[in-house]
Amino acid sequence: MLAPSWWVDRAFTPAVMAAIELAVQDSESRHRGEIRFAVEGGLDVPALLQGIDARARAVDVFAHLRVWDTEENTGVLIYVQWVDRRVEIVADRGIARQVPQADWDAVCRRLEAAFREGRYGPGAVEAVRTVGELLAGPFPARGDNPDELPNRPVRL
């Protein structure tokens, strides 16, 4: 199923995207992780025919956006597949050893619940904050805390 771009734009307005960007920036000041947020309306026909699910697509987007390209392997992608209202979090190997997948899955389910309630912006911002809290324990900020990846959310 394909989702027209205006459908996604109604939920992820410029104001919502700006709020997500600010949440990422604020969060990253508290830890050494790098958070990317990506929302995709629907999948193209070849992906649908191949049976690509949200998790597989999230892994593809993780690679495409080069979320893995950080000094400490501390990149995290929050991926929203809008057509199915599915959320997946992909964490780089440095983080995956420190934060259990069950913690990421819990964030995903809360964000999906927020979407069902129509709380797109607040839900996304809260998800970014929660991811930041999960990163702050094992990867607290240090004096030198470079911003290695863009903070701006991506519309695919």
Side-chain angles (χ1 to χ4, degrees), residues 37-95:
F37 189 100
V39 61
E40 185 166 42
L43 298 177
D44 59 18
V45 174
L48 291 172
L49 294 174
Q50 292 174 12
I52 301 292
D53 65 1
R55 183 68 185 178
R57 180 61 181 147
V59 170
D60 288 344
V61 171
F62 181 89
H64 175 74
L65 295 178
R66 300 177 59 102
V67 180
W68 52 266
D69 194 13
T70 63
E71 183 68 30
E72 295 185 71
N73 299 314
T74 56
V76 175
L77 172 68
I78 302 171
Y79 171 77
V80 176
Q81 189 179 76
W82 190 247
V83 70
D84 292 329
R85 302 294 203 281
R86 292 284 305 160
V87 178
E88 293 288 339
I89 294 178
V90 180
D92 204 346
R93 62 188 174 272
I95 295 171

Side-chain angles (χ1 to χ4, degrees), residues 89 100-113 130 134:
I89 294 178
Q101 184 62 42
D103 290 351
W104 302 125
D105 292 342
V107 175
C108 294
R109 301 306 76 88
R110 285 194 302 270
L111 184 51
E112 290 168 354
T130 303
L134 291 170

Side-chain angles (χ1 to χ4, degrees), residues 17-35 125-126 128-133 135-136 139-141 145 147 149-152:
M17 297 297 265
I20 294 168
E21 182 176 6
L22 286 174
V24 170
Q25 182 179 355
D26 181 60
S27 174
E28 288 180 357
S29 70
R30 294 175 172 76
H31 55 76
R32 296 188 321 274
E34 291 291 323
I35 300 171
V125 167
E126 181 59 31
V128 169
R129 286 186 185 137
T130 303
V131 167
E133 291 167 5
L135 292 170
F139 300 99
N145 193 18
D147 194 3
L149 298 174
N151 297 329
R152 188 167 203 51

